[in-house]
Amino acid sequence: MSTLVRTEPLSGPPPLLVPGDPYSVVVLLRGYAEPEGVDGAMRADGSVTLIVPQARGSSSGHREAGPEHRSAKTALAEAARGPILVDTGGPWTREALLDALAGQDVAPRDVTLVVGTHGHSDHIGNLGLFPDAALLVSHDFCLPGGLYLPHGLGEGRPLQLGPGLEVWATPGHAGQRDVSVVVAGTALGTVVMAGDVFEHDGDEDSWQALSEDPVAQERSRRTILGMADLVVPGHGPPFRVMRETSPTRGEGEPPGAAGGSLQ
């Protein structure tokens, strides 16, 4: 048996609100990557997504008493009680990001956790807007003030931040330390903010050229397609993932990527 996968982009401009319980997802800014001029020049910026707990905790609760005595598990769970930002875009998109947050009635000081899916400038270029937030950038987790805590994240060993909210190791695009954020229980099912594991819907012929480890990234892509109902890619509109089982794979059918099959 194999699972046939097809994908379909969602239309409409951001913000895209996906309500959920206990977390809602808001795609604030849609990433893009557009050729410009000659010699392979590209103008690009990464997608930015906000995760909002239905019951929002204190924006300063994770900073109050003795963070040096807390485990990463406890600190992450406390940070996830407030709004969580997944990627920040590049520094050139600072004002657009602030406006998008304000549109959701969120100020930078309200954000309690920022997750950077990987360390490229178009994804973490605005970390400086959030000095009071805990940061999980790739596999590095630190509390405000620069206290770094070990946590044990690895392939097949996700970090659980809350009910249905996890960070997965999804290596490949930028090496071995990319991460994706998974939110279950939304109105559209499980949403995965995948960074550049997926550049955009229909990127099967292009993602390898941008990958530091295509073998690992292919594995990460299969993992995401196996769990996601909606993917927020790094540089394009979110896309739905639809699956159907088939007893056999037809001869010549592409073996696994968006629009292929999972076995």
Side-chain angles (χ1 to χ4, degrees):
M1 297 287 290
S2 63
T3 301
L4 303 179
V5 177
R6 61 186 181 87
T7 61
E8 181 177 286
L10 293 182
S11 59
L16 169 69
L17 170 63
V18 184
D21 183 11
Y23 301 97
S24 295
V25 175
V26 186
V27 181
L28 295 177
L29 300 174
R30 179 187 298 173
Y32 58 87
E34 302 166 351
E36 185 167 305
V38 296
D39 299 327
M42 187 78 65
R43 186 175 296 276
D45 204 4
S47 297
V48 180
T49 306
L50 183 69
I51 301 170
V52 183
Q54 194 172 64
R56 187 185 298 187
S58 167
S59 64
S60 60
H62 69 291
R63 300 190 291 273
E64 285 179 352
E68 66 275 9
H69 301 300
R70 296 177 182 176
S71 68
K73 180 178 180 180
T74 299
L76 282 163
E78 291 181 350
R81 292 177 182 173
I84 301 164
L85 197 65
V86 182
D87 286 338
T88 71
W92 48 88
T93 199
R94 179 180 187 275
E95 295 305 319
L97 173 57
L98 291 172
D99 288 346
L101 286 169
Q104 302 301 316
D105 197 26
V106 174
R109 66 179 178 275
D110 298 326
V111 175
T112 53
L113 176 63
V114 178
V115 179
T117 58
H118 60 290
H120 290 168
S121 58
D122 55 340
H123 290 263
I124 60 167
N126 287 302
L127 289 180
L129 292 174
F130 309 98
D132 296 327
L135 304 177
L136 179 62
V137 178
S138 298
H139 285 222
D140 290 336
F141 175 55
C142 72
L143 299 181
L147 177 64
Y148 285 80
L149 299 177
H151 47 70
L153 174 65
E155 279 194 85
R157 301 192 310 274
L159 296 177
Q160 184 169 6
L161 307 186
L165 175 61
E166 295 179 329
V167 175
W168 282 64
T170 51
H173 170 72
Q176 298 306 307
R177 296 170 65 83
D178 299 55
V179 299
S180 297
V181 181
V182 179
V183 180
T186 79
L188 295 180
T190 296
V191 181
V192 178
M193 286 129 276
D196 286 355
V197 175
F198 288 91
E199 296 284 334
H200 55 80
D201 184 34
D203 66 354
E204 295 89 344
D205 296 329
S206 59
W207 67 264
Q208 294 93 336
L210 301 171
S211 178
E212 292 190 16
D213 189 338
V215 172
Q217 188 168 342
E218 174 68 22
R219 188 167 65 245
S220 297
R221 288 165 67 90
R222 287 178 178 271
T223 296
I224 290 171
L225 288 176
M227 76 170 91
D229 298 296
L230 181 71
V231 173
V232 181
H235 299 280
F239 60 86
R240 299 288 299 270
V241 180
M242 290 148 291
R243 307 174 191 85
E244 59 184 39
T245 58
S246 174
T248 59
R249 192 174 72 201
E251 184 177 356
E253 183 179 315
S261 66
L262 302 175
Q263 292 184 305

